[in-house]
Amino acid sequence: MLIRFEATNYRSIRETVELSMVAIDRDREAARFEPLLGESLLPVAAVYGPNASGKSNVISAFAWLRDAVHLSLQIWEDEIPIDAFAFGGGPASASEFNIEIVVNGVRFEYILIVDREHVIHEGLFHYPEKKRKRIFERENSELKLQRGLGGLSGTRELMTPRSLALSIARRFDEPLISNFTQKLLGIQNLGHMPRNGIFPGISRRILRSSSYRPTVRWFEEASNQPSLFSDSDLGDKFTGTRQQALALLRLADLGIEDVIVDHQEINYSDSEVRTQRRIRLLHKTSEESAPFDFNNESDGTRTWFSLIGPVLTALQAGSVVLFDELDASLHPTLSAELVSLFHSPATNPRGAQLIFTSHDTSLLNHLNRDEVWLTEKQADGSTRLGALADFAGERVRRSQNLENAYLHGRFGALPQVDQTALLRALGLIG
């Protein structure tokens, strides 16, 4: 499970922002206790704030770090595509990322400091007995390895000023490295990702992490999918992954009873005939059923269908799902259902985590105070990220009506609307 994430000097993030998944209210079902860590971790975190306050950049920073580890060997030949804070000394300063993840009960920490020209510092550490122990650490071109990891020595030969040591080391058969990178690369980024992803010129196909499984595969290859829960977990409640995917689709109450995946022949102008996969959703009325082509479905239906695969994959692997602008894609009722899937140990027995941004204040009624984070745009244009539980120095009561308090501006993080300039431009005031 993710413990915490930090980013510095990335897009609108100037000073260090930290998002922590450590629970404040530990005595509840949703919080998952980690014995070696001595803390309970949260399955959900929501980021709220006005437009242009930097909510999306918090999500983007997560995705950037994951994709950096995935792609630095492939595309970082001429420069490191880091988008630093545009004002002040941001463009000339280094950007920093720090992520801590629990892997098989052990805390791992990965630190990365880069500018556009080279990797300045990089390190991977773990805490097998609550004491920090180095796996590898790099200063510019110098790499130090933990004693006994001689099998990673080939990393030095392949390292360049702009390639990550972790990108190289993960290709060697070393469990300490592979177990951590599997968790990191398993982070899935959904929602409003730019057309070409985080790195310009790279296709979405390449940017998908190795664990990303399109929803359609859950309907095509049911016999090849591993079971989400063991028999001892939920008995006969789940009989196969296709049934799980259908159950999640039907949960949306869209009037869909099944998914048909087949192939159709397409005649092109050059007389060539090609076969392509076709997806149709079978809608049911009180009198009959009819298949609708997937492309003719509403945006909401397509969004819910598309997230089924990634969500089931996350629940199965205990991984992280990032979702930017959750409310722009889903009806509030479905957003609440999605949150409840991650909250419940019954549907989320392996500690998967959902981190999302939203404007939908009704979701605050489904979140605990330690699951809510707020962004504000500061005078210099930078993003401030604060925990709701300690926002503005005022501790929020556990019983607080979060939606009502937020809408009344108690926590800040609301747009400051001043109509004076607009009314003057319209000639309505002098």
Side-chain angles (χ1 to χ4, degrees), residues 159-209:
M159 225 167 52
T160 70
R162 286 181 289 277
S163 61
L164 299 185
L166 185 57
S167 299
I168 301 167
R170 78 183 186 92
R171 283 156 167 72
F172 294 91
D173 188 19
E174 171 47 57
L176 278 177
I177 300 288
S178 59
N179 290 343
F180 172 78
T181 53
Q182 183 179 11
K183 283 291 185 182
L184 179 61
L185 297 180
I187 296 174
Q188 298 176 89
N189 185 23
L190 309 180
H192 288 207
M193 191 170 74
R195 181 181 298 273
N196 289 326
I198 303 300
F199 300 143
I202 302 302
S203 70
R204 292 180 66 91
R205 179 186 61 80
I206 295 176
L207 281 171
R208 290 177 183 143
S209 70

Side-chain angles (χ1 to χ4, degrees), residues 381-401:
S382 66
T383 295
R384 177 195 177 195
L385 177 69
L388 173 64
D390 294 300
F391 201 73
E394 180 184 10
R395 192 165 187 80
V396 180
R397 295 192 309 275
R398 188 173 182 175
S399 60
Q400 179 76 46
N401 183 320

Side-chain angles (χ1 to χ4, degrees), residues 118-153:
H118 66 302
V119 178
I120 299 169
H121 176 83
E122 184 184 5
L124 180 62
F125 308 87
H126 65 149
Y127 298 73
E129 297 175 354
K130 295 188 177 182
K131 184 177 180 181
R132 193 187 205 216
K133 191 173 182 180
R134 179 176 64 201
I135 298 174
F136 74 77
E137 191 168 11
R138 168 202 191 161
E139 294 287 346
N140 296 310
S141 60
E142 298 295 322
L143 180 67
K144 297 179 181 178
L145 297 171
Q146 174 184 315
R147 183 177 299 177
L149 296 183
L152 297 177
S153 59

Side-chain angles (χ1 to χ4, degrees), residues 96-312:
E96 302 183 23
F97 303 87
N98 186 310
I99 190 167
E100 295 185 16
I101 301 175
V102 173
V103 182
N104 298 327
V106 177
R107 172 185 170 194
F108 281 72
E109 179 183 15
Y110 179 61
I111 301 170
L112 178 63
I113 304 176
V114 298
D115 59 23
R116 281 197 166 269
E117 299 301 320
H118 66 302
V119 178
I120 299 169
H121 176 83
E122 184 184 5
L124 180 62
F125 308 87
H126 65 149
Y127 298 73
E129 297 175 354
K130 295 188 177 182
K131 184 177 180 181
R132 193 187 205 216
K133 191 173 182 180
R134 179 176 64 201
I135 298 174
F136 74 77
E137 191 168 11
R138 168 202 191 161
E139 294 287 346
N140 296 310
S141 60
E142 298 295 322
L143 180 67
K144 297 179 181 178
L145 297 171
Q146 174 184 315
R147 183 177 299 177
L149 296 183
L152 297 177
S153 59
T155 303
R156 292 189 180 94
E157 300 175 6
L158 298 174
M159 225 167 52
T160 70
R162 286 181 289 277
S163 61
L164 299 185
L166 185 57
S167 299
I168 301 167
R170 78 183 186 92
R171 283 156 167 72
F172 294 91
D173 188 19
E174 171 47 57
L176 278 177
I177 300 288
S178 59
N179 290 343
F180 172 78
T181 53
Q182 183 179 11
K183 283 291 185 182
L184 179 61
L185 297 180
I187 296 174
Q188 298 176 89
N189 185 23
L190 309 180
H192 288 207
M193 191 170 74
R195 181 181 298 273
N196 289 326
I198 303 300
F199 300 143
I202 302 302
S203 70
R204 292 180 66 91
R205 179 186 61 80
I206 295 176
L207 281 171
R208 290 177 183 143
S209 70
S210 58
S211 68
Y212 183 86
R213 181 175 294 150
T215 296
V216 67
R217 290 188 59 193
W218 290 78
F219 293 98
E220 265 192 330
E221 304 172 11
S223 61
N224 296 326
Q225 300 285 3
S227 176
L228 179 57
F229 307 104
S230 67
D231 292 339
S232 60
D233 287 328
L234 294 176
D236 296 328
K237 184 174 180 180
F238 290 91
T239 58
T241 56
R242 191 178 198 279
Q243 285 73 18
Q244 294 165 22
L246 272 176
L248 194 51
L249 181 61
R250 291 167 179 167
L251 182 69
D253 194 24
L254 301 169
I256 299 170
E257 66 173 358
D258 206 349
V259 176
I260 301 171
V261 182
D262 56 16
H263 292 81
Q264 63 178 344
E265 292 185 347
I266 305 295
N267 295 310
Y268 289 86
S269 57
D270 58 1
S271 300
E272 182 182 1
V273 178
R274 300 178 189 174
T275 301
Q276 69 177 26
R277 183 170 56 188
R278 177 175 59 176
I279 304 169
R280 291 178 293 167
L281 305 185
L282 189 64
H283 288 254
K284 182 179 181 181
T285 68
S286 58
E287 298 179 354
E288 60 180 327
S289 298
F292 286 20
D293 188 273
F294 183 75
N295 292 325
N296 294 329
E297 298 286 352
S298 68
D299 288 343
T301 296
R302 285 184 292 179
T303 296
W304 184 257
F305 179 88
S306 297
L307 65 78
I308 288 173
V311 166
L312 288 178

Side-chain angles (χ1 to χ4, degrees), residues 49-51 376-377 408-420:
N51 288 329
E376 284 190 332
K377 184 177 181 179
H408 281 81
R410 179 176 175 185
F411 313 127
L414 285 173
Q416 301 297 317
V417 181
D418 184 355
Q419 295 184 348
T420 304

Side-chain angles (χ1 to χ4, degrees), residues 329-378:
S329 305
L330 295 175
H331 187 277
T333 301
L334 294 183
S335 298
E337 289 289 352
L338 184 61
V339 168
S340 70
L341 285 175
F342 284 81
H343 270 158
S344 172
T347 51
N348 184 15
R350 298 190 172 97
Q353 293 164 298
L354 172 67
I355 300 172
F356 65 91
T357 70
S358 180
H359 292 287
D360 180 9
T361 58
S362 68
L363 277 178
L364 291 170
N365 297 318
H366 302 275
L367 299 169
N368 198 63
R369 60 177 180 170
D370 52 6
E371 296 175 326
V372 180
W373 294 77
L374 305 173
T375 56
E376 284 190 332
K377 184 177 181 179
Q378 303 193 99

